[in-house]
Amino acid sequence: MSPEVRTRRSASLPFSVKTILALETSCDETAVAILRGYTLLASEIASQIVEHEKYGGIVPEIASRNHLVQAPHLLDRAKRNAKIDMPDVDAFAATSGPGLASSLMIGASIAKGLAIGFGKPYLAINHLEGHLLSPFFGDGAVKPGVSLIVSGGHTMLIRVHGLGDYQLIGRTVDDAAGEAFDKVAKMLGLGYPGGPEIEKCAGSGNPARFHLPRSMLDSENFSFSGLKTAVRYLLPKLQGDFLADLCASFQQAVIEALVRKTIAAAEKHDVDLVTMSGGVSCNQELRRQLSAACAREGFEFKSAEPWLCTDNAAMIALAASLRLQAGLESKLTEEIDPNLPLV
């Protein structure tokens, strides 16, 4: 069910004076942010990469246990840095999905408890909408366009008409781009998360050395499973110094698919603006190539700042602020949804 269906009108304060406290606990990052109007007063994040690295991926039980430990400390630190008290907060928000159920429950429960305790509105925010809106951080308005959300769990193209008015253009039919990066990095014996490790190795490599597949290039949907499998079958045949070239070739195959499909979607939907967000959008070569393609084809390009691309509570606070400005809030009885769709 879409977020707008599950919201109700709120008689809230003028936007310029609203202070939002948001929590993000959808996966393995514990994050708290406080946003007043267009000013970010605090943004605190506790990473769990070290805890999960030895497993090569996220362990839900470990993630939820760490959220319980970290959240109170981050709340106190955010309040101190923002120089506010809880009664000064106008609304509390948390990610309600998609994500790990045991992780989502922590942030949502804390935000609901604070909303009840201080008699303030509660906003359940879609994690994907947080990513979608992050390129507009500080702008105060959501502009129509085509958005590429590319992360560890999601790869999708969205036609944005306005706040809460989204149309799905295409999505991955198997692995997300970030998931493919992680799995290939594991095959190559690189660290976790895999995206930054492959990007680092690719910097000195030749992206044309290995001819890897670009699946479904004529479709609006994405597929990266075949690319991952091609790397697996290629590895036993390789000898000598190949790591940098293989990383560069793999990275280029992913980027080419993302850029080509995004530009095609922007042309088909006749928009002026292309935006990009999500953890994989931190990849500098992806940013460079998509920005260059947009300039070449006459599209404005906006990407979220790198610090907003990975999971964070600032983007959740932004989404909550824009929704509250539009007169929307959520019911306290609203449940988390690990499979919450954006559209």
Side-chain angles (χ1 to χ4, degrees):
M1 187 179 295
S2 64
E4 58 268 26
V5 173
R6 304 193 300 168
T7 53
R8 59 187 173 86
R9 293 286 164 182
S10 167
S12 49
L13 298 170
F15 176 67
S16 60
V17 296
K18 290 173 186 170
T19 300
I20 310 292
L21 188 151
L23 293 100
E24 155 60 28
T25 61
S26 64
C27 192
D28 64 326
E29 304 281 311
T30 314
V32 176
I34 300 175
L35 182 70
R36 176 176 293 158
Y38 302 117
T39 303
L40 186 62
L41 302 181
S43 180
E44 306 296 332
I45 302 175
S47 172
Q48 298 184 27
I49 288 178
V50 173
E51 287 85 350
H52 299 278
E53 187 174 17
K54 54 190 166 188
Y55 302 104
I58 307 303
V59 180
E61 182 183 353
I62 294 174
S64 59
R65 192 162 59 237
N66 275 281
H67 288 314
L68 280 170
V69 172
Q70 295 294 342
H73 301 301
L74 297 185
L75 283 166
D76 288 340
R77 194 184 310 161
K79 285 192 302 177
R80 288 197 306 270
N81 290 342
K83 297 181 172 58
I84 68 165
D85 296 317
M86 284 300 183
D88 299 327
V89 176
D90 296 311
F92 296 92
T95 303
S96 62
L100 299 174
S102 55
S103 291
L104 291 166
M105 192 182 306
I106 306 301
S109 298
I110 293 172
K112 287 181 181 181
L114 291 170
I116 292 170
F118 292 98
K120 299 295 176 66
Y122 165 70
L123 293 104
I125 301 300
N126 189 306
H127 179 81
L128 295 175
E129 186 174 39
H131 279 306
L132 180 75
L133 299 177
S134 58
F136 302 107
F137 199 93
D139 289 357
V142 180
K143 299 177 182 177
V146 163
S147 176
L148 172 65
I149 303 175
V150 56
S151 67
H154 304 275
T155 300
M156 56 177 60
L157 283 166
I158 302 292
R159 173 69 166 97
V160 178
H161 298 280
L163 178 67
D165 187 0
Y166 313 127
Q167 171 191 348
L168 178 66
I169 298 172
R171 69 191 327 155
T172 182
V173 298
D174 41 54
D175 292 348
E179 184 182 3
F181 269 103
D182 287 340
K183 289 179 177 178
V184 168
K186 190 172 183 178
M187 290 180 207
L188 298 176
L190 301 176
Y192 175 85
E197 296 298 321
I198 287 181
E199 181 181 10
K200 189 188 306 179
C201 286
S204 59
N206 174 13
R209 178 176 172 184
F210 299 107
H211 300 287
L212 298 173
R214 277 78 162 152
S215 300
M216 301 177 67
L217 284 182
D218 294 324
S219 168
E220 293 178 315
N221 290 320
F222 299 89
S223 172
F224 297 106
S225 181
L227 172 59
K228 175 193 67 181
T229 302
V231 173
R232 177 181 290 117
Y233 286 142
L234 180 62
L235 272 175
K237 305 173 185 177
L238 300 179
Q239 294 180 345
D241 186 10
F242 64 83
L243 184 60
D245 291 344
L246 183 56
C247 285
S249 298
F250 168 79
Q251 176 178 267
Q252 183 56 34
V254 175
I255 290 175
E256 187 174 321
L258 294 173
V259 171
R260 177 167 169 170
K261 290 172 184 285
T262 302
I263 295 299
E267 292 172 341
K268 178 179 177 179
H269 290 269
D270 193 26
V271 299
D272 297 320
L273 174 67
V274 170
T275 66
M276 179 174 66
S277 57
V280 178
S281 69
C282 288
N283 185 290
Q284 291 301 307
E285 186 61 20
L286 171 59
R287 285 176 175 248
R288 186 191 69 78
Q289 291 192 33
L290 184 53
S291 177
C294 285
R296 189 166 58 246
E297 302 300 329
F299 300 113
E300 180 186 358
F301 175 67
K302 289 175 69 71
S303 184
E305 293 293 325
W307 66 273
L308 276 169
C309 291
T310 53
D311 290 352
N312 64 89
M315 68 181 188
I316 303 303
L318 171 64
S321 183
L322 291 171
R323 284 188 165 271
L324 199 60
Q325 180 187 11
L328 300 168
E329 67 176 73
S330 304
K331 295 179 180 180
L332 286 165
T333 55
E334 183 168 330
E335 299 289 343
I336 60 166
D337 183 351
N339 300 307
L340 182 65
L342 179 61
V343 291

